[in-house]
């Protein structure tokens, strides 16, 4: 090679060597902020389904063939309205028979009472024996008891006749109708279901830690998935003061006034119950990243990022509660954390 070729070859080799040398790691600028305590409104969030305030299955009290069905599913009914009727011919005949038996028994009782009075007068006059008088008294008592029995039989027959009409026990909506006219009604099977939804309820389960903080009368906010953006006011009506041994939760019930009947049984509900205020350790929401499915914050030690797993609680107004894993005053990276990994070199900028 000539002199110029040698210089060019040397320059090319030097360039390759320089490219192969490790370059200093680039550093990112990050903001850090101290973990601090803030006052949070403590809330319990529970889920459940809307239920009717009253849900009543209407069973027939007497068996028989359905003569008439007066309502359809979805009909609004008042308490006491006739929902349907069972054929009553046999029950009417039984009532008439019971009435005739009562008339006969009362006639015999009246005759026996008259005979007893007459025998008493004759006994006083010495015209009949004491045994005859006592026999008349026994017949009067017996026929009086038979009349009372016949009267009870008539009452029972009349009640069974009246029970051929099926009445709504509550005001509400018919949500089930299981028989049509001509179907056979059995006392073991319901024919109608009536649900009252002017007021509704949600049954929820309270964890042991929540049981000591929730009391009957506590206010509740109710959000409904089917009605996004709306909050309904509720009230804790009932709290069972013991835990179910299987679920380890305590049953509670939240009631909601259902103006306009917009809340339907079966709607999924999210219940939020305020339970007081507390000063808790917090960091900015932007400071918490998710690594391997776990909440993680980053601290800086000698210009190098260190990841730390934390346990988080509630999030309020852009601040996240840190339950475990961090102490008050420790500085964490506030932003940006989405692209950072442990071991990265960074330059710290204090957030003002």
């Amino acid at each position: 090679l000539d002199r110029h070729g040698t210089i060019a070859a040397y320059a090319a080799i030097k360039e390759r060597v320089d490219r192969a040398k490790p370059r200093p790691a680039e550093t990112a600028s990050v903001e850090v902020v101290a973990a601090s305590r803030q006052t949070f409104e403590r809330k319990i969030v529970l889920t459940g389904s809307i239920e009717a305030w009253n849900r009543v299955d209407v069973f027939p009290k007497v068996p028989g063939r359905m003569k008439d069905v007066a309502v359809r599913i979805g009909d609004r009914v008042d308490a006491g309205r006739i929902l349907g009727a069972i054929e009553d011919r046999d029950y009417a005949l039984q009532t008439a028979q019971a009435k005739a038996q009562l008339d006969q028994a009362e006639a015999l009782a009246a005759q026996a009472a008259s005979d007893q009075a007459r025998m008493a007068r004759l006994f006083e006059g010495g015209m009949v024996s004491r045994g005859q008088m006592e026999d008349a008294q026994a017949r009067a008592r017996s026929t009086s008891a038979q009349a009372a029995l016949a009267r009870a039989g008539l009452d029972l027959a009349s009640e069974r006749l009246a029970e051929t009409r099926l009445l709504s026990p509550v005001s509400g909506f018919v949500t089930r109708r299981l028989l049509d006219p001509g179907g056979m009604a059995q006392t073991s099977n319901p024919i109608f279901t009536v649900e009252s939804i002017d007021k509704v309820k949600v049954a929820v389960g309270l964890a042991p830690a929540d049981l000591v903080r929730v009391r009957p009368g506590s206010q509740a906010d109710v959000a409904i998935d089917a009605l996004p953006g709306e909050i309904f006011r509720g009230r804790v009506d009932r709290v069972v003061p013991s835990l179910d041994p299987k679920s380890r939760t305590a049953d509670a019930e939240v009631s909601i006034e259902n103006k306009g009947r917009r809340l339907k049984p079966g709607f999924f509900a999210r219940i939020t119950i305020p339970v007081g205020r507390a000063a808790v350790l917090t960091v900015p929401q932007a400071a918490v990243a998710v690594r391997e499915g776990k909440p993680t914050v980053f601290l800086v030690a000698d210009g190098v990022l260190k990841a730390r797993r934390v346990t988080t609680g509630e999030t309020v107004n852009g601040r996240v509660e840190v339950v475990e894993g961090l102490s008050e005053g420790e500085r964490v990276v506030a932003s940006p954390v989405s692209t950072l990994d442990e071991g990265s070199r960074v330059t710290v900028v204090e957030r003002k």
Side-chain angles (χ1 to χ4, degrees):
L1 294 175
D2 59 16
R3 180 172 177 272
H4 293 291
T6 300
I7 292 173
Y10 175 78
I13 292 170
K14 184 176 184 301
E15 181 180 358
R16 288 197 297 271
V17 170
D18 289 343
R19 271 202 304 265
K21 289 181 179 179
R23 297 182 178 180
E26 295 183 1
T27 61
S29 295
V30 295
E31 290 184 330
V32 295
V33 64
S36 60
R37 292 193 175 275
Q38 294 197 359
T39 300
F40 271 20
E41 182 78 36
R42 286 293 193 189
K43 298 177 181 179
I44 297 171
V45 179
L46 306 165
T47 59
S49 294
I50 296 290
E51 300 176 19
W53 186 251
N54 282 322
R55 184 182 187 277
V56 182
D57 289 329
V58 181
F59 288 79
K61 293 184 178 181
V62 294
R65 191 175 300 279
M66 289 299 295
K67 177 182 179 181
D68 180 49
V69 176
V71 294
R72 295 180 296 178
I73 292 176
D75 283 355
R76 166 80 178 170
V77 296
D78 293 325
R81 175 174 168 179
I82 296 176
L83 305 176
I86 294 170
E87 290 184 357
D88 61 359
R89 181 176 180 275
D90 290 347
Y91 296 103
L93 291 174
Q94 291 171 9
T95 302
Q97 182 182 41
K99 177 65 169 64
Q101 291 172 343
L102 175 60
D103 290 343
Q104 182 182 36
E106 286 181 337
L108 292 174
Q111 181 62 50
S114 176
D115 290 346
Q116 178 191 5
R118 182 170 58 84
M119 292 299 287
R121 290 194 300 271
L122 292 174
F123 175 73
E124 290 176 358
M127 300 180 67
V128 296
S129 67
R130 177 176 295 276
Q132 290 173 309
M133 183 193 69
E134 290 176 347
D135 286 345
Q137 290 175 337
R139 283 194 300 273
R141 287 194 296 270
S142 175
T143 55
S144 178
Q146 289 172 356
L149 182 62
R151 191 174 298 107
L154 176 60
D155 290 343
L156 180 60
S158 299
E159 183 176 343
R160 289 172 66 83
L161 176 61
E163 287 171 347
T164 59
R165 299 183 305 162
L166 282 79
L167 308 180
S168 177
V170 296
S171 296
F173 291 87
V174 178
T175 57
R176 285 201 309 171
R177 191 186 90 170
L178 302 177
L179 277 183
D180 291 323
M184 287 299 299
Q186 302 293 336
T187 57
S188 58
N189 299 323
I191 298 177
F192 303 97
T193 298
V194 180
E195 296 186 10
S196 175
I197 61 171
D198 291 331
K199 188 177 183 180
V200 293
K201 61 187 176 183
V202 181
V204 295
L206 296 175
D210 297 334
L211 177 59
V212 299
R213 298 189 291 172
V214 176
R215 295 286 184 270
S218 299
Q219 297 301 307
D221 291 334
V222 183
I224 306 296
D225 283 5
L227 300 171
E230 296 189 60
I231 299 296
F232 298 85
R233 288 288 183 178
R235 178 180 181 273
V236 178
D237 272 350
R238 182 176 62 88
V239 177
V240 176
S242 61
L243 298 178
D244 182 276
K246 293 183 179 179
S247 67
R248 304 302 300 167
T249 60
D251 291 337
E253 192 173 272
V254 176
S255 65
I256 311 139
E257 294 295 336
N258 192 14
K259 294 181 180 179
R261 306 187 187 101
R262 299 178 63 212
L263 303 179
K264 312 298 184 185
F267 276 4
F268 185 78
R270 301 179 190 277
I271 313 294
T272 303
I273 304 174
V275 291
R277 300 169 68 85
V280 299
L281 188 64
T282 69
V283 296
Q285 188 173 357
V288 181
V290 177
R291 296 292 185 268
E292 300 178 357
K294 303 291 185 180
T296 303
V297 296
F298 290 96
L299 294 83
V300 180
D302 298 326
V304 178
L305 283 182
K306 300 293 184 183
R308 185 183 294 179
R309 298 284 190 266
V310 293
T311 301
T312 57
E314 299 178 25
T315 300
V316 177
N317 297 329
R319 304 284 298 187
V320 178
E321 176 187 4
V322 179
V323 180
E324 291 181 354
L326 202 61
S327 299
E328 184 174 4
E330 286 192 287
R331 284 173 164 72
V332 299
V333 175
S335 66
V337 297
S338 58
T339 60
L340 299 179
D341 288 307
E342 187 170 24
S344 300
R345 297 197 66 82
V346 295
T347 300
V348 172
V349 177
E350 292 284 347
R351 175 175 283 189
K352 296 182 180 179

